[in-house]
Amino acid sequence: MMMLVRLNMRMALAALCGGVLLVTLYWSRCGDLAHRPIGSVLSYASPDRATNEIECSINGEYSVACRRDLDQIYVPFSFLHKYFEIYGKLTFVDGTEKFEWSHSYSKVYHPKKKYDPRGTFTTFENYNVEVRDRVKCISGIEGVPVSTQWEPRGYFYPTQIAQFGLAHYSKNITEPPPRVKIIDDGDKFLEKWIVSQDAVLTREFDSELKSNVLRFSTSDQASSQVWLKVNISQDFVLSMDLQLRPNSSMTVILQNKDKKETVYLHYVTSTQLIYAQEDHTYYGIGVDKKWRRITRDLIIDMQKGWALQDRPKRKSPRNKFKISGIILSGSGGVSDIRVSSSSHTAHFHAAARWLRAAQRARGGWPVPARRRVAPGVPDLRPGWHSAMSQGHGISVLCRAYYRSGDAGYLRAAQRALLLLDVPSGAGGVKALWMDKYVWYEEYPTQPPLFVLNGFIYTLLGLYDLHVMEGENSVSLAKKMFDDGMLSLKTLLPLFDTGSGSFYDLRHFTLGVSPNIARWDYHATHVNQLYLLAGLDPDPILINTAKRWEGYMQGKRAAHN
Amino acid sequence: MMMLVRLNMRMALAALCGGVLLVTLYWSRCGDLAHRPIGSVLSYASPDRATNEIECSINGEYSVACRRDLDQIYVPFSFLHKYFEIYGKLTFVDGTEKFEWSHSYSKVYHPKKKYDPRGTFTTFENYNVEVRDRVKCISGIEGVPVSTQWEPRGYFYPTQIAQFGLAHYSKNITEPPPRVKIIDDGDKFLEKWIVSQDAVLTREFDSELKSNVLRFSTSDQASSQVWLKVNISQDFVLSMDLQLRPNSSMTVILQNKDKKETVYLHYVTSTQLIYAQEDHTYYGIGVDKKWRRITRDLIIDMQKGWALQDRPKRKSPRNKFKISGIILSGSGGVSDIRVSSSSHTAHFHAAARWLRAAQRARGGWPVPARRRVAPGVPDLRPGWHSAMSQGHGISVLCRAYYRSGDAGYLRAAQRALLLLDVPSGAGGVKALWMDKYVWYEEYPTQPPLFVLNGFIYTLLGLYDLHVMEGENSVSLAKKMFDDGMLSLKTLLPLFDTGSGSFYDLRHFTLGVSPNIARWDYHATHVNQLYLLAGLDPDPILINTAKRWEGYMQGKRAAHN
């Protein structure tokens, strides 16, 4: 009887919709469009029921095995994952299994207060630039990352170096102060070094460092060493003042606590970036005979050595390894040896120093790698500039100025503005939308691409400089920021897909398929817009941020 | 043993992705992004298996009851339908049940040959304007539809009238010639009319029609009638020459073949559009005492009478009703009474005549209804013009000129151009994108909306006129078409959502949420682009058409 009733209902439905004969309509469009469910969807199923397999024909193109229980069709998530690019995982909470469906895999950070150029840079406290695969290693000489993103030999990518600096600057603010263990400072902390027979170790006052240092000298014999046995777990950022004569080195020994595995990190007097063979990784720290302070994240240095040998990344090596020794070889001096849980300030300043030193006469940081940006667009040839490098560089330099008071950093930041006013065709980074709205190009191609996130990062650099120059100043930075904000607020809607955002506007400038931002870039857009909404009350910013955040939970713009 | 292996695999996955403890990752993003399946997705299920219910938490917002079988999660289609707005139906093919998943509900028509203004208008042979709910009825005097779309009292909407004309013009080309049954032509076909005692019926020669006609006269008594009993099934388009004195009428009787149900359609000497009470529907055919030819789709006339009384639409009334009689009352003449399966030419010419007669001095067809277009935009006040009306009007008039050779139609089409060059703010329909690209506005709001489909229809009108004027002519229509095509090819990418299309660019001009085209409008865009790709070899047209068609099968633009 029930079945009969159901059948009649189906026929009625089919009649109403003008359905094809022999077809039972279930969820076809009939009259009004369906809307997103509000609240819970009722359960049609009961536990432990038998379901029949039923073939689902997907758009008449291929088939997927589904299940059927009475009137309900069940579609396998493995298919939905691929078809809609949604994500899911099984979780166990209080002994109950649950399936968690996620529309996106990224996270939005709502700013807690107005953005301040003296504070964290956007959400960069969550960035770990150096662990990225496209970072070859941290250079031993400059202490900044070396990129392999578009050039496998490795090159200094100013954007990446600046991000490294900004991430560490931000972490330094948000994280608790590091644990610092002084190993040997020549004064209060003195370690007992083991000196092989033909080697020499002395403690003496150094007039340059104005403190006691260790002076060492070993013979040409491989066994001739000065070494210190330590047993340090948990913290892995080693720093020291180091002075090496030619053919000298400082080696750190790491040991796996579980396995019989020893790793050697050699910091050597060489200009070679990195070299690795089996358990030995070598970082050139230059051939300068003067004192230098080196700060190394040993775990990063170890992992990059492995990566160079194509060994797989390991999970949480920080828990598995310990520092077991430091070996000095050749001749030179060391002082103020410390191991800390982090040394964000040192990394930040390394980035700031690099940016100041590497800046060219036009105020730019040329990128020495060829960049294939998009099919149909001429490559950017080595030496190109990026508005994002310029903007990020300014953000780093402003913070370095704020921390150090060194006006040289501020002047460097001001010099970095110049290229933002030079058109892409003339070696700069400026594009115009419809001959009207300025856009600072992350990739200054011709025709332009109008990348969104890089543009906003440039605006933040301009804002940083403007504030550092004095918020009431009438400056070039302020004018450039205002011009850029006008462009952004005008063109922002063009990046809205109705269910996400476009990474750039190449579909407009090249007439190609649009380049949709993957969720992590989309989340970056949302984070950036929330930040800007705190600086500019125009409702387009906050409204777009909110709508775009909704897209990450599966909401969509309405259709007509 | 198998379970253990699976568990270990899960743990390994969790380890690789850096998963949360106590979480088993299934389809999370880990490393590379997932891509759409090519070909079949393998079945993980076997028939008739028990599945457990498992709660699926949707983006942490609400829950849906899913099923689980080993590692596979099955999601109910009723939820997917609402969440993703996809469609599905169960079909029975050769005794096997199958579930058909459809990404969209609309259809694309690939043009078989190059568009020709003398031929069908786009895909309008598939349109049935008069059955739409927003058509109040077909007016008895003009024979054209009356719209209630934005004004429930009903008004002549030039776009709708033109579409009515173009649909019938196109059907006339694509459909086989109509079956025509001559009921009474005063010559070869003579019916036996029943004349009540106090009524008079004569056959006489009419000098105006130049044929024999029936002259009738009845008394004031309700029972005084001249009537004809017929029994006509299947075909319902009645036409006749009719001349009525005041207070006269022609009534058609329709009978339901299954049920005891009789419907009376009264065509009366009145200027009232329509009036309905129970089984009687009245159409005013005017008070002009001259001969007119009326052509009525009786089923449409019946349905509109029901709709006026809020009676539900009935399914396939053409199969259930028959014409059982024609009653003449008052006094007047009738001649050449026919019933045919269709009369597309008559309907087309009614639209063309209306457009020619209703055109104003500036060449426009003002819309007499207030139009609320979008929140935040001032209403269009009665008397506004639509570029789509102008373009469609031109398309109708060009075809009327082609069919009739009457140059008055061509001149009317040319006059219709004028408003396309008048800015929206000055009573016209022209907008400019970024002060640069002309756009013919379907809804000439300020700020402009840049509706896509209406713009392309306008371009087709321009193309039609250009061809009718001679393809080698240098004319205003040609210049306007070229300007418009340049705008279209430039701005088309801005309508691409990466998974569908925007209906307009209100998100850009108003800064609001984008207005996504529902699938039938999207299909219209695709059909229009395929048509234009036959007229213009620029690859943006054909490439966009193909990509947009793919969106209807669930394909998407790539993300980075």
Side-chain angles (χ1 to χ4, degrees):
Chain A
M1 192 57 193
M2 270 304 288
M3 281 308 287
L4 195 66
V5 169
R6 179 173 296 117
L7 203 65
N8 284 345
M9 252 188 61
R10 282 186 205 166
M11 286 166 67
L13 246 175
L16 277 170
C17 301
V20 183
L21 273 176
L22 289 179
V23 167
T24 308
L25 291 167
Y26 273 83
W27 299 277
S28 290
R29 183 172 179 263
C30 170
D32 281 345
L33 281 170
H35 293 287
R36 286 297 169 83
I38 298 161
S40 289
V41 168
L42 286 175
S43 159
Y44 293 95
S46 56
D48 289 337
R49 289 181 64 136
T51 49
N52 302 317
E53 191 172 302
I54 184 166
E55 180 187 346
C56 284
S57 169
I58 307 299
N59 302 314
E61 292 182 334
Y62 55 93
S63 286
V64 167
C66 294
R67 300 299 193 92
R68 183 187 181 179
D69 178 15
L70 299 180
D71 277 2
Q72 186 64 275
I73 302 293
Y74 290 89
V75 183
F77 189 83
S78 59
F79 159 70
L80 300 171
H81 167 60
K82 287 175 190 152
Y83 187 93
F84 291 114
E85 282 194 29
I86 45 162
Y87 307 91
K89 63 185 180 197
L90 271 175
T91 57
F92 297 82
V93 179
D94 301 332
T96 310
E97 247 181 335
K98 202 165 146 180
F99 188 72
E100 289 188 3
W101 161 300
S102 301
H103 201 83
S104 87
Y105 53 76
S106 280
K107 211 176 144 183
V108 165
Y109 298 91
H110 294 96
K112 291 190 185 65
K113 51 180 189 199
K114 187 182 167 185
Y115 173 73
D116 183 333
R118 291 161 283 251
T120 56
F121 185 79
T122 75
T123 61
F124 274 34
E125 65 271 20
N126 306 304
Y127 276 34
N128 281 307
V129 173
E130 50 268 49
V131 303
R132 294 176 186 165
D133 289 339
R134 59 183 183 266
V135 171
K136 188 169 187 173
C137 63
I138 301 301
S139 75
I141 298 172
E142 298 86 354
V144 297
V146 173
S147 179
T148 54
Q149 193 164 6
W150 306 310
E151 171 58 67
R153 280 177 301 177
Y155 62 99
F156 288 120
Y157 184 30
T159 295
Q160 188 178 72
I161 290 167
Q163 291 202 336
F164 171 80
L166 293 167
H168 283 292
Y169 185 92
S170 301
K171 284 176 195 291
N172 183 54
I173 292 172
T174 57
E175 290 182 5
R179 279 183 304 272
V180 181
K181 181 182 166 65
I182 301 171
I183 309 294
D184 193 321
D185 64 355
D187 181 20
K188 286 188 190 127
F189 298 87
L190 301 170
E191 278 285 352
K192 199 169 154 46
W193 294 74
I194 297 159
V195 184
S196 63
Q197 260 184 333
D198 50 354
V200 180
L201 181 74
T202 58
R203 291 189 184 269
E204 52 190 67
F205 185 80
D206 185 88
S207 57
E208 191 188 337
L209 290 187
K210 295 190 181 65
S211 65
N212 287 329
V213 303
L214 285 160
R215 288 251 154 244
F216 67 92
S217 175
T218 65
S219 77
D220 290 346
Q221 302 287 324
S223 61
S224 178
Q225 287 178 338
V226 170
W227 71 287
L228 177 65
K229 212 175 153 183
V230 294
N231 187 359
I232 303 171
S233 294
Q234 202 177 9
D235 296 335
F236 291 92
V237 179
L238 174 70
S239 59
M240 65 179 71
D241 293 312
L242 187 62
Q243 185 185 42
L244 293 183
R245 297 268 161 82
N247 296 314
S248 302
S249 67
M250 187 274 290
T251 297
V252 181
I253 307 168
L254 297 173
Q255 274 190 315
N256 191 321
K257 291 182 274 185
D258 305 332
K259 298 194 273 183
K260 263 199 174 171
E261 184 186 16
T262 306
V263 171
Y264 300 88
L265 300 173
H266 305 281
Y267 300 92
V268 301
T269 50
S270 151
T271 56
Q272 198 186 337
L273 182 65
I274 182 171
Y275 171 74
Q277 194 174 26
E278 293 177 355
D279 294 324
H280 296 266
T281 300
Y282 300 82
Y283 286 90
I285 59 168
V287 292
D288 197 335
K289 287 166 201 151
K290 287 192 289 186
W291 281 104
R292 85 204 74 202
R293 183 151 193 95
I294 69 164
T295 303
R296 307 299 302 180
D297 186 324
L298 302 172
I299 295 293
I300 294 292
D301 283 350
M302 177 173 71
Q303 299 247 44
K304 298 300 179 185
W306 288 335
L308 212 64
Q309 300 176 74
D310 290 326
R311 297 200 202 168
K313 252 189 182 175
R314 304 218 207 155
K315 205 200 156 195
S316 43
R318 273 172 218 275
N319 300 329
K320 289 179 189 136
F321 281 81
K322 61 174 186 178
I323 311 173
S324 64
I326 298 172
I327 300 172
L328 302 169
S329 165
S331 66
V334 291
S335 179
D336 197 16
I337 306 169
R338 295 162 183 238
V339 170
S340 54
S341 53
S342 67
S343 190
H344 299 309
T345 310
H347 299 313
F348 165 70
H349 281 297
R353 271 194 310 270
W354 185 90
L355 286 163
R356 189 171 166 183
Q359 194 177 32
R360 301 291 174 85
R362 293 168 90 193
W365 292 280
V367 183
R370 176 177 285 265
R371 170 84 165 104
R372 299 233 156 107
V373 188
V377 178
D379 288 359
L380 296 173
R381 296 171 66 185
W384 59 277
H385 291 100
S386 168
M388 185 156 157
S389 295
Q390 300 303 113
H392 269 356
I394 292 170
S395 291
V396 170
L397 292 168
C398 284
R399 283 167 174 79
Y401 166 64
Y402 168 65
R403 280 292 158 104
S404 69
D406 181 344
Y409 282 122
L410 186 64
R411 285 194 299 271
Q414 287 164 332
R415 270 196 304 277
L417 293 178
L418 304 179
L419 280 168
L420 299 181
D421 202 31
V422 176
S424 300
V429 297
K430 185 171 79 169
L432 285 178
W433 170 270
M434 305 288 261
D435 305 327
K436 206 165 173 180
Y437 293 98
V438 69
W439 200 267
Y440 310 119
E441 290 270 286
E442 180 173 352
Y443 304 114
T445 54
Q446 291 179 282
L449 294 181
F450 299 96
V451 173
L452 180 57
N453 81 90
F455 176 64
I456 298 181
Y457 281 135
T458 310
L459 293 180
L460 290 184
L462 293 171
Y463 181 78
D464 289 350
L465 181 52
H466 162 58
V467 172
M468 282 300 153
E469 287 174 330
E471 280 195 67
N472 296 320
S473 62
V474 181
S475 66
L476 183 58
K478 173 76 165 108
K479 189 199 172 304
M480 286 178 158
F481 176 73
D482 288 344
D483 288 350
M485 285 298 287
L486 176 64
S487 300
L488 176 70
K489 291 183 283 184
T490 304
L491 302 184
L492 189 57
L494 299 182
F495 291 89
D496 197 325
T497 76
S499 57
S501 55
F502 294 122
Y503 178 81
D504 55 32
L505 298 181
R506 67 178 59 184
H507 53 297
F508 181 77
T509 55
L510 305 181
V512 298
S513 180
N515 183 21
I516 294 173
R518 60 174 192 256
W519 285 123
D520 48 8
Y521 277 116
H522 180 76
T524 295
H525 294 159
V526 175
N527 289 330
Q528 290 179 324
L529 291 176
Y530 274 123
L531 187 157
L532 290 178
L535 307 182
D536 187 321
D538 191 317
I540 189 111
L541 297 170
I542 187 71
N543 291 345
T544 304
K546 284 179 181 168
R547 187 167 64 252
W548 287 15
E549 185 178 7
Y551 294 160
M552 297 173 70
Q553 289 120 35
K555 293 180 182 65
R556 285 192 301 263
H559 56 68
N560 56 4
Chain B
M1 189 60 191
M2 273 302 288
M3 282 309 287
L4 194 66
V5 170
R6 178 173 297 116
L7 203 65
N8 284 344
M9 253 187 60
R10 283 185 203 165
M11 284 167 68
L13 245 175
L16 278 170
C17 302
V20 182
L21 274 175
L22 289 179
V23 168
T24 308
L25 293 168
Y26 273 83
W27 299 278
S28 288
R29 182 171 180 263
C30 170
D32 283 342
L33 279 170
H35 295 287
R36 284 295 168 85
I38 297 159
S40 288
V41 168
L42 287 174
S43 159
Y44 294 94
S46 57
D48 288 339
R49 286 179 68 133
T51 48
N52 302 318
E53 190 172 303
I54 182 166
E55 180 187 347
C56 284
S57 169
I58 307 299
N59 302 314
E61 290 181 335
Y62 55 93
S63 286
V64 168
C66 293
R67 298 301 190 92
R68 183 188 182 179
D69 178 14
L70 298 180
D71 276 1
Q72 188 62 276
I73 300 294
Y74 290 88
V75 183
F77 190 83
S78 59
F79 160 70
L80 299 172
H81 166 60
K82 288 176 192 152
Y83 188 91
F84 292 114
E85 282 193 31
I86 47 164
Y87 306 93
K89 64 184 180 199
L90 270 176
T91 57
F92 297 82
V93 179
D94 300 332
T96 310
E97 244 180 336
K98 201 164 144 179
F99 188 72
E100 289 187 3
W101 164 298
S102 301
H103 201 84
S104 85
Y105 52 77
S106 279
K107 210 177 144 180
V108 165
Y109 298 91
H110 294 98
K112 291 191 185 62
K113 53 181 188 199
K114 187 181 164 184
Y115 173 74
D116 183 334
R118 291 161 283 253
T120 56
F121 185 79
T122 76
T123 60
F124 274 34
E125 66 270 22
N126 306 305
Y127 276 34
N128 281 307
V129 174
E130 50 268 52
V131 304
R132 295 177 186 164
D133 290 338
R134 57 182 184 267
V135 170
K136 187 169 188 174
C137 62
I138 302 300
S139 75
I141 298 171
E142 297 87 353
V144 296
V146 173
S147 179
T148 53
Q149 194 165 4
W150 306 310
E151 169 60 69
R153 278 175 304 175
Y155 61 101
F156 288 121
Y157 183 31
T159 293
Q160 188 177 74
I161 290 167
Q163 292 201 334
F164 171 80
L166 292 167
H168 283 292
Y169 185 92
S170 302
K171 284 176 195 292
N172 184 53
I173 292 172
T174 57
E175 289 182 5
R179 283 182 301 271
V180 180
K181 181 183 169 67
I182 300 172
I183 309 293
D184 193 319
D185 64 356
D187 182 17
K188 287 187 187 126
F189 299 87
L190 299 170
E191 280 282 352
K192 202 173 154 39
W193 294 74
I194 298 158
V195 183
S196 62
Q197 260 184 333
D198 49 354
V200 179
L201 183 74
T202 58
R203 288 187 187 275
E204 52 191 65
F205 185 81
D206 184 90
S207 56
E208 191 188 337
L209 289 187
K210 294 187 181 66
S211 67
N212 287 328
V213 304
L214 285 159
R215 289 252 153 243
F216 67 91
S217 175
T218 64
S219 77
D220 291 343
Q221 301 286 325
S223 60
S224 175
Q225 286 178 343
V226 172
W227 70 287
L228 177 64
K229 214 177 150 179
V230 295
N231 186 356
I232 302 170
S233 293
Q234 203 178 8
D235 296 333
F236 291 92
V237 180
L238 173 71
S239 60
M240 64 180 69
D241 293 311
L242 188 61
Q243 185 184 43
L244 292 183
R245 297 268 162 83
N247 297 317
S248 302
S249 66
M250 183 275 289
T251 297
V252 182
I253 306 169
L254 297 173
Q255 273 191 315
N256 191 324
K257 291 183 275 185
D258 306 331
K259 298 191 273 181
K260 265 199 172 171
E261 184 185 16
T262 305
V263 172
Y264 301 88
L265 300 173
H266 306 279
Y267 301 92
V268 299
T269 51
S270 150
T271 55
Q272 196 184 340
L273 181 66
I274 183 171
Y275 171 73
Q277 194 173 27
E278 291 173 358
D279 295 324
H280 297 263
T281 300
Y282 301 81
Y283 287 90
I285 60 168
V287 292
D288 196 333
K289 287 166 201 153
K290 288 192 290 191
W291 281 104
R292 81 202 81 197
R293 184 149 193 96
I294 68 164
T295 304
R296 306 299 303 180
D297 185 325
L298 302 173
I299 295 294
I300 294 291
D301 283 352
M302 176 172 72
Q303 297 249 44
K304 299 299 178 187
W306 288 335
L308 212 63
Q309 299 175 78
D310 292 325
R311 296 202 204 168
K313 251 190 184 174
R314 304 222 208 155
K315 206 199 155 194
S316 45
R318 275 172 216 276
N319 300 329
K320 290 179 188 137
F321 281 83
K322 61 174 186 176
I323 312 174
S324 63
I326 298 172
I327 301 173
L328 302 167
S329 162
S331 65
V334 289
S335 179
D336 196 14
I337 305 171
R338 298 163 179 235
V339 170
S340 55
S341 54
S342 68
S343 190
H344 299 309
T345 310
H347 298 314
F348 166 71
H349 283 296
R353 271 194 309 272
W354 185 89
L355 285 163
R356 190 170 166 183
Q359 193 178 33
R360 302 289 174 88
R362 293 168 87 192
W365 293 281
V367 183
R370 175 177 286 263
R371 169 85 165 104
R372 298 234 156 111
V373 189
V377 178
D379 287 0
L380 296 173
R381 297 169 66 183
W384 59 276
H385 292 99
S386 168
M388 184 156 159
S389 295
Q390 300 301 116
H392 270 355
I394 292 170
S395 291
V396 170
L397 293 167
C398 283
R399 284 165 173 79
Y401 166 64
Y402 167 67
R403 282 290 158 104
S404 69
D406 182 344
Y409 283 122
L410 186 64
R411 285 194 298 272
Q414 287 164 331
R415 270 197 304 275
L417 293 177
L418 305 179
L419 280 170
L420 299 182
D421 201 32
V422 176
S424 299
V429 296
K430 187 172 77 167
L432 285 177
W433 170 269
M434 303 288 261
D435 303 328
K436 204 164 175 182
Y437 294 99
V438 70
W439 200 266
Y440 310 119
E441 290 270 287
E442 180 174 352
Y443 304 114
T445 53
Q446 288 180 284
L449 293 181
F450 298 97
V451 174
L452 179 58
N453 81 90
F455 176 65
I456 298 181
Y457 281 136
T458 310
L459 293 180
L460 290 183
L462 293 170
Y463 181 78
D464 289 350
L465 181 52
H466 161 59
V467 172
M468 282 300 154
E469 288 174 329
E471 282 196 62
N472 298 317
S473 64
V474 181
S475 67
L476 182 58
K478 173 77 166 104
K479 191 202 169 301
M480 284 179 160
F481 176 72
D482 289 344
D483 289 350
M485 283 299 285
L486 176 63
S487 301
L488 177 70
K489 292 184 283 183
T490 305
L491 302 185
L492 188 57
L494 299 183
F495 291 89
D496 196 324
T497 76
S499 57
S501 54
F502 295 121
Y503 179 82
D504 55 31
L505 299 181
R506 68 177 61 182
H507 51 298
F508 181 77
T509 54
L510 304 180
V512 297
S513 182
N515 184 18
I516 294 172
R518 60 175 193 255
W519 285 122
D520 49 7
Y521 277 116
H522 180 74
T524 296
H525 294 158
V526 175
N527 290 329
Q528 291 179 324
L529 291 176
Y530 274 123
L531 187 157
L532 290 178
L535 307 181
D536 186 322
D538 191 318
I540 189 111
L541 297 170
I542 187 70
N543 290 345
T544 304
K546 286 179 179 167
R547 187 168 63 251
W548 288 15
E549 186 178 7
Y551 295 160
M552 295 172 71
Q553 288 120 36
K555 292 181 182 64
R556 284 193 301 261
H559 55 67
N560 57 3

